[in-house]
PDB file of all heavy atoms in Angstrom:
ATOM      1  N   MET A   1     -33.992  49.880 128.174  1.00  0.00           N
ATOM      2  CA  MET A   1     -33.073  48.719 128.154  1.00  0.00           C
ATOM      3  C   MET A   1     -32.933  48.191 126.719  1.00  0.00           C
ATOM      4  O   MET A   1     -33.956  47.976 126.042  1.00  0.00           O
ATOM      5  CB  MET A   1     -33.573  47.672 129.104  1.00  0.00           C
ATOM      6  CG  MET A   1     -32.512  46.941 129.837  1.00  0.00           C
ATOM      7  SD  MET A   1     -33.204  45.820 131.114  1.00  0.00           S
ATOM      8  CE  MET A   1     -31.771  45.411 132.027  1.00  0.00           C
ATOM      9  N   ALA A   2     -31.726  47.949 126.252  1.00  0.00           N
ATOM     10  CA  ALA A   2     -31.535  47.377 124.960  1.00  0.00           C
ATOM     11  C   ALA A   2     -32.099  45.974 124.983  1.00  0.00           C
ATOM     12  O   ALA A   2     -32.112  45.281 125.987  1.00  0.00           O
ATOM     13  CB  ALA A   2     -30.057  47.342 124.631  1.00  0.00           C
ATOM     14  N   ALA A   3     -32.581  45.544 123.779  1.00  0.00           N
ATOM     15  CA  ALA A   3     -33.263  44.247 123.685  1.00  0.00           C
ATOM     16  C   ALA A   3     -32.404  43.129 124.241  1.00  0.00           C
ATOM     17  O   ALA A   3     -32.863  42.261 124.997  1.00  0.00           O
ATOM     18  CB  ALA A   3     -33.624  43.991 122.236  1.00  0.00           C
ATOM     19  N   LEU A   4     -31.103  43.103 123.876  1.00  0.00           N
ATOM     20  CA  LEU A   4     -30.281  42.002 124.280  1.00  0.00           C
ATOM     21  C   LEU A   4     -30.074  41.912 125.786  1.00  0.00           C
ATOM     22  O   LEU A   4     -29.894  40.860 126.389  1.00  0.00           O
ATOM     23  CB  LEU A   4     -28.921  42.098 123.567  1.00  0.00           C
ATOM     24  CG  LEU A   4     -27.957  40.914 123.757  1.00  0.00           C
ATOM     25  CD1 LEU A   4     -28.687  39.625 123.302  1.00  0.00           C
ATOM     26  CD2 LEU A   4     -26.674  41.095 122.967  1.00  0.00           C
ATOM     27  N   ASP A   5     -30.185  43.099 126.490  1.00  0.00           N
ATOM     28  CA  ASP A   5     -30.075  43.119 127.928  1.00  0.00           C
ATOM     29  C   ASP A   5     -31.201  42.403 128.612  1.00  0.00           C
ATOM     30  O   ASP A   5     -31.150  42.142 129.809  1.00  0.00           O
ATOM     31  CB  ASP A   5     -30.000  44.586 128.414  1.00  0.00           C
ATOM     32  CG  ASP A   5     -28.723  45.262 127.967  1.00  0.00           C
ATOM     33  OD1 ASP A   5     -27.750  44.538 127.652  1.00  0.00           O
ATOM     34  OD2 ASP A   5     -28.730  46.506 127.912  1.00  0.00           O
ATOM     35  N   LEU A   6     -32.289  42.118 127.878  1.00  0.00           N
ATOM     36  CA  LEU A   6     -33.431  41.423 128.490  1.00  0.00           C
ATOM     37  C   LEU A   6     -33.383  39.915 128.311  1.00  0.00           C
ATOM     38  O   LEU A   6     -34.128  39.164 128.942  1.00  0.00           O
ATOM     39  CB  LEU A   6     -34.758  41.957 127.876  1.00  0.00           C
ATOM     40  CG  LEU A   6     -35.106  43.382 128.275  1.00  0.00           C
ATOM     41  CD1 LEU A   6     -36.338  43.810 127.428  1.00  0.00           C
ATOM     42  CD2 LEU A   6     -35.424  43.481 129.709  1.00  0.00           C
ATOM     43  N   LEU A   7     -32.453  39.475 127.458  1.00  0.00           N
ATOM     44  CA  LEU A   7     -32.432  38.029 127.193  1.00  0.00           C
ATOM     45  C   LEU A   7     -31.805  37.215 128.295  1.00  0.00           C
ATOM     46  O   LEU A   7     -30.818  37.596 128.878  1.00  0.00           O
ATOM     47  CB  LEU A   7     -31.629  37.779 125.890  1.00  0.00           C
ATOM     48  CG  LEU A   7     -31.372  36.312 125.437  1.00  0.00           C
ATOM     49  CD1 LEU A   7     -32.704  35.592 125.124  1.00  0.00           C
ATOM     50  CD2 LEU A   7     -30.449  36.255 124.236  1.00  0.00           C
ATOM     51  N   GLY A  31     -22.371  37.711 125.181  1.00  0.00           N
ATOM     52  CA  GLY A  31     -22.992  38.949 125.678  1.00  0.00           C
ATOM     53  C   GLY A  31     -24.383  38.789 126.211  1.00  0.00           C
ATOM     54  O   GLY A  31     -25.146  39.745 126.276  1.00  0.00           O
ATOM     55  N   THR A  33     -26.665  38.256 129.408  1.00  0.00           N
ATOM     56  CA  THR A  33     -26.344  38.680 130.802  1.00  0.00           C
ATOM     57  C   THR A  33     -27.195  37.995 131.867  1.00  0.00           C
ATOM     58  O   THR A  33     -27.159  38.374 133.032  1.00  0.00           O
ATOM     59  CB  THR A  33     -26.520  40.219 130.930  1.00  0.00           C
ATOM     60  OG1 THR A  33     -27.827  40.567 130.500  1.00  0.00           O
ATOM     61  CG2 THR A  33     -25.484  40.943 130.074  1.00  0.00           C
ATOM     62  N   ARG A 231     -45.511  39.193 124.732  1.00  0.00           N
ATOM     63  CA  ARG A 231     -44.480  39.941 125.369  1.00  0.00           C
ATOM     64  C   ARG A 231     -44.955  41.345 125.750  1.00  0.00           C
ATOM     65  O   ARG A 231     -44.674  41.849 126.842  1.00  0.00           O
ATOM     66  CB  ARG A 231     -43.246  39.972 124.460  1.00  0.00           C
ATOM     67  CG  ARG A 231     -42.027  40.723 125.027  1.00  0.00           C
ATOM     68  CD  ARG A 231     -41.903  42.111 124.412  1.00  0.00           C
ATOM     69  NE  ARG A 231     -40.715  42.792 124.867  1.00  0.00           N
ATOM     70  CZ  ARG A 231     -40.557  43.356 126.040  1.00  0.00           C
ATOM     71  NH1 ARG A 231     -41.504  43.254 126.980  1.00  0.00           N
ATOM     72  NH2 ARG A 231     -39.448  44.017 126.382  1.00  0.00           N
ATOM     73  N   GLY A 241     -39.067  41.904 133.978  1.00  0.00           N
ATOM     74  CA  GLY A 241     -37.999  40.962 134.139  1.00  0.00           C
ATOM     75  C   GLY A 241     -37.446  40.468 132.803  1.00  0.00           C
ATOM     76  O   GLY A 241     -37.763  41.025 131.701  1.00  0.00           O
ATOM     77  N   ARG A 242     -36.737  39.368 132.859  1.00  0.00           N
ATOM     78  CA  ARG A 242     -36.024  38.841 131.683  1.00  0.00           C
ATOM     79  C   ARG A 242     -37.022  38.083 130.756  1.00  0.00           C
ATOM     80  O   ARG A 242     -38.024  37.578 131.213  1.00  0.00           O
ATOM     81  CB  ARG A 242     -34.933  37.876 132.150  1.00  0.00           C
ATOM     82  CG  ARG A 242     -33.901  38.544 133.003  1.00  0.00           C
ATOM     83  CD  ARG A 242     -33.026  39.420 132.189  1.00  0.00           C
ATOM     84  NE  ARG A 242     -31.944  39.991 132.974  1.00  0.00           N
ATOM     85  CZ  ARG A 242     -30.764  40.363 132.475  1.00  0.00           C
ATOM     86  NH1 ARG A 242     -30.551  40.227 131.153  1.00  0.00           N
ATOM     87  NH2 ARG A 242     -29.837  40.860 133.238  1.00  0.00           N
ATOM     88  N   LEU A 243     -36.616  38.012 129.522  1.00  0.00           N
ATOM     89  CA  LEU A 243     -37.314  37.167 128.532  1.00  0.00           C
ATOM     90  C   LEU A 243     -36.417  35.959 128.336  1.00  0.00           C
ATOM     91  O   LEU A 243     -35.338  36.060 127.761  1.00  0.00           O
ATOM     92  CB  LEU A 243     -37.528  37.916 127.243  1.00  0.00           C
ATOM     93  CG  LEU A 243     -38.079  39.376 127.392  1.00  0.00           C
ATOM     94  CD1 LEU A 243     -38.264  40.051 126.058  1.00  0.00           C
ATOM     95  CD2 LEU A 243     -39.381  39.394 128.218  1.00  0.00           C
ATOM     96  N   HIS A 268     -34.601  36.685 119.388  1.00  0.00           N
ATOM     97  CA  HIS A 268     -35.009  37.484 120.531  1.00  0.00           C
ATOM     98  C   HIS A 268     -35.138  38.963 120.170  1.00  0.00           C
ATOM     99  O   HIS A 268     -36.155  39.610 120.498  1.00  0.00           O
ATOM    100  CB  HIS A 268     -34.033  37.308 121.687  1.00  0.00           C
ATOM    101  CG  HIS A 268     -34.144  38.285 122.822  1.00  0.00           C
ATOM    102  ND1 HIS A 268     -34.966  38.072 123.894  1.00  0.00           N
ATOM    103  CD2 HIS A 268     -33.550  39.499 123.008  1.00  0.00           C
ATOM    104  CE1 HIS A 268     -34.884  39.131 124.709  1.00  0.00           C
ATOM    105  NE2 HIS A 268     -34.053  40.003 124.182  1.00  0.00           N
ATOM    106  N   GLU A 269     -34.143  39.467 119.492  1.00  0.00           N
ATOM    107  CA  GLU A 269     -34.191  40.873 119.132  1.00  0.00           C
ATOM    108  C   GLU A 269     -35.297  41.188 118.140  1.00  0.00           C
ATOM    109  O   GLU A 269     -35.866  42.276 118.101  1.00  0.00           O
ATOM    110  CB  GLU A 269     -32.825  41.327 118.569  1.00  0.00           C
ATOM    111  CG  GLU A 269     -31.807  41.414 119.739  1.00  0.00           C
ATOM    112  CD  GLU A 269     -30.442  41.930 119.328  1.00  0.00           C
ATOM    113  OE1 GLU A 269     -29.930  41.471 118.287  1.00  0.00           O
ATOM    114  OE2 GLU A 269     -29.867  42.691 120.099  1.00  0.00           O
ATOM    115  N   CYS A 272     -38.520  41.324 120.396  1.00  0.00           N
ATOM    116  CA  CYS A 272     -38.439  42.066 121.645  1.00  0.00           C
ATOM    117  C   CYS A 272     -38.985  43.492 121.518  1.00  0.00           C
ATOM    118  O   CYS A 272     -38.773  44.161 120.567  1.00  0.00           O
ATOM    119  CB  CYS A 272     -37.003  42.089 122.104  1.00  0.00           C
ATOM    120  SG  CYS A 272     -36.845  42.648 123.801  1.00  0.00           S
TER     121      CYS A 272
END
Side-chain angles (χ1 to χ4, degrees):
M1 217 174 191
L4 189 55
D5 294 337
L6 289 172
L7 176 61
T33 56
R231 180 259 184 284
R242 300 288 185 153
L243 314 180
H268 165 89
E269 288 182 317
C272 192

